[in-house]
Amino acid sequence: MSDNKLHHSYQHFISLCFSNRFIPTKKNKKRYGIDKEIKAALRNIIHKKEQAMQNGDSGDADLLGLLLKCRDEADNDMTIEDVIEECKLFYFAGQETTANLLTWTLIVLSMHPEWQEKAREEVLQICGKKTAEIDSIKQLKIVPMILNEVLRLYPPVTILHRHTLKETSIRGIAIPAGVDLLLPFLFLHYDPEYWGDNAEEFKPERFSEGISKASKDEIAFYPFGWGPRFCLGQNFALTEAKMALTMILQNFWFELSPSYTHAPCTVITLQPQHGAPVILHQL
Ligand code: HEM
């Protein structure tokens, strides 16, 4: 490529990156508006919580209370803006991901009614028609196998991002500071080297002896990340998903509408591109 062309495409690249966030395009103006609205709503919730805490609420009963309490601690420089960002992170990290897991689970169990039936049998045997308690949730074996297999095939998060703040080395490969690294772990989840020739098939039985025995290397199962930034909400999310799925299985059997088109796509999280039209039948 000539210097001129290189310069031109570099400029194009810079303008793309730049326009993505800072140029006041129509789309960006809408984004700024939404951002402002979300921040104002959160500031309002935080303000109300602060007032409640001044009037005697201990703040121990919810996450916002705990965040505000630790903000009050002497050497803490957490600002209200930081609290707002934490609220946004918890909402997005917690809500969107678990909702996607449940959506994919309903889709996959509609495609594999034999597993839907096995899961329902287990749920009815352990919990009956009663709302599941944490003790009965812990006894479930088939449901967690199914959730793990759904997390393998349709992980709500498919790529991890890292940015090097200083020069670093990974297994002898030197990486300068300021580099964005992407780990598309979806490829690991589908790699026959770890999962065998049926890697693309839905086979919850591979998790029958737990995650460590499901593949040739435990590190090939990545839905919640690994290492120091491992998902904080993993146990919460799995408990929530088990509770919700248990309630659905107790009350309905379900199938996909003929209008369903299988087209997983990533819009930050992995979603069914044309929605998940599932028909619920009351049991
Ligand atoms: C099925 C549901 C979920 C999935 C698949 C999921 C997945 C992930 C992944 C892949 C990461 C990134 C780890 C990394 O960068 O190494 C992460 C981080 C995080 N998750 Fe989740 N998550 C889920 C549910 C939740 C829930 C329910 C909460 C909170 C209630 C939550 C809170 C967080 C937080 C706070 C982080 C950032 C941790 C850090 O940077 O130290 N997640 N999650």
Side-chain angles (χ1 to χ4, degrees), residues 89 120 130 163 188 233 262:
L89 172 69
R120 183 172 297 104
K130 282 190 270 167
H163 180 83
L188 279 178
H262 195 61

CSV table of all heavy atoms in Angstrom, one decimal, residues 89 120 130 163 188 233 262:
chain,number,residue,atom,x,y,z
A,89,LEU,N,-23.3,-0.9,35.9
A,89,LEU,CA,-22.6,-2.2,35.6
A,89,LEU,C,-23.5,-3.3,36.2
A,89,LEU,O,-23.7,-4.3,35.5
A,89,LEU,CB,-21.3,-2.2,36.3
A,89,LEU,CG,-20.5,-3.5,36.2
A,89,LEU,CD1,-20.1,-3.9,34.8
A,89,LEU,CD2,-19.3,-3.5,37.1
A,120,ARG,N,-38.3,-31.4,33.6
A,120,ARG,CA,-39.6,-31.2,34.3
A,120,ARG,C,-39.8,-32.3,35.3
A,120,ARG,O,-40.2,-32.1,36.5
A,120,ARG,CB,-40.8,-31.1,33.3
A,120,ARG,CG,-42.1,-30.9,34.0
A,120,ARG,CD,-43.2,-30.6,33.0
A,120,ARG,NE,-43.0,-29.4,32.2
A,120,ARG,CZ,-42.6,-29.4,30.9
A,120,ARG,NH1,-42.4,-30.6,30.3
A,120,ARG,NH2,-42.4,-28.3,30.3
A,130,LYS,N,-44.6,-26.8,44.5
A,130,LYS,CA,-44.4,-25.7,45.4
A,130,LYS,C,-43.3,-24.8,44.8
A,130,LYS,O,-42.4,-25.2,44.1
A,130,LYS,CB,-43.9,-26.2,46.7
A,130,LYS,CG,-45.1,-26.7,47.6
A,130,LYS,CD,-44.7,-27.0,49.0
A,130,LYS,CE,-44.2,-28.4,49.1
A,130,LYS,NZ,-43.5,-28.9,50.1
A,163,HIS,N,-7.1,-4.6,28.1
A,163,HIS,CA,-6.3,-3.5,27.6
A,163,HIS,C,-5.0,-3.4,28.4
A,163,HIS,O,-5.1,-3.4,29.6
A,163,HIS,CB,-7.1,-2.1,27.7
A,163,HIS,CG,-6.4,-1.0,27.2
A,163,HIS,ND1,-6.4,-0.6,25.9
A,163,HIS,CD2,-5.6,0.0,27.9
A,163,HIS,CE1,-5.7,0.5,25.7
A,163,HIS,NE2,-5.2,0.8,26.9
A,188,LEU,N,-13.5,-21.5,21.9
A,188,LEU,CA,-13.0,-22.6,22.8
A,188,LEU,C,-14.2,-23.5,23.1
A,188,LEU,O,-14.1,-24.7,23.2
A,188,LEU,CB,-12.6,-22.0,24.1
A,188,LEU,CG,-11.2,-21.4,24.2
A,188,LEU,CD1,-11.0,-20.9,25.6
A,188,LEU,CD2,-10.2,-22.5,24.0
A,233,GLY,N,-21.2,-12.3,39.8
A,233,GLY,CA,-22.6,-12.7,40.0
A,233,GLY,C,-22.9,-14.1,39.6
A,233,GLY,O,-24.1,-14.5,39.5
A,262,HIS,N,-33.5,-19.5,13.5
A,262,HIS,CA,-32.4,-19.6,14.4
A,262,HIS,C,-31.2,-18.7,13.8
A,262,HIS,O,-30.7,-19.1,12.8
A,262,HIS,CB,-31.9,-21.1,14.4
A,262,HIS,CG,-30.9,-21.3,15.5
A,262,HIS,ND1,-31.2,-21.2,16.8
A,262,HIS,CD2,-29.6,-21.8,15.5
A,262,HIS,CE1,-30.2,-21.4,17.6
A,262,HIS,NE2,-29.2,-21.8,16.8
